[in-house]
Amino acid sequence: MELIEVILAKENLNRAYKKVVANKGVSGVDGVTVEELGDYIRENRDTIVTSLRNRTYMPKPVRRVYIPKDNGKKRPLGIPDSVNLQ
C-alpha cells in the first residue's frame, strides 16, 4: 500500500480531525474554524482526497517564525500570509 493511501484512509483522517478538535485548534490559512471543520470536511471530502491523491492540491503559503521557549530552544510556528504582524 502506498503512503498516500495510508494518509488518506478514513480512520487516519478521522484521527487527525479528532486531534485538531481536542487541541482546540484555530482556523488555518483557509479561514475554516474548528467549529466549521466537521461540516466542511463532510461537504468537501471527495474533492480534498482527490486533489491530494492526484497531487493537484496547492497549499497556501505560510511564513515560518520561531518562538523562544523557556529552555532556550525555539519552537517553529507557521503564520499564514493573510495575517498582518505589526
Side-chain angles (χ1 to χ4, degrees):
M1 178 180 278
E2 288 191 43
L3 179 58
I4 192 70
E5 297 305 322
V6 174
I7 292 168
L8 297 176
K10 189 172 185 175
E11 312 81 52
N12 195 38
L13 294 174
N14 286 338
R15 189 178 313 121
Y17 168 76
K18 288 177 183 179
K19 189 162 191 159
V20 169
V21 172
N23 288 339
K24 298 179 175 82
V26 297
S27 60
V29 296
D30 56 6
V32 176
T33 65
V34 173
E35 293 78 22
E36 300 167 325
L37 186 58
D39 289 337
Y40 180 83
I41 291 171
R42 276 188 284 286
E43 293 169 11
N44 298 285
R45 182 187 183 283
D46 292 339
T47 303
I48 295 166
V49 168
T50 299
S51 68
L52 289 167
R53 186 174 283 127
N54 294 339
R55 300 173 193 238
T56 57
Y57 172 75
M58 296 299 294
K60 295 183 180 180
V62 176
R63 185 171 10 139
R64 177 68 67 196
V65 295
Y66 292 89
I67 307 299
K69 293 172 55 176
D70 291 339
N71 64 5
K73 294 184 178 182
K74 293 183 179 182
R75 179 177 69 86
L77 180 66
I79 306 289
D81 276 350
S82 60
V83 173
N84 188 358
L85 295 176
Q86 291 187 10

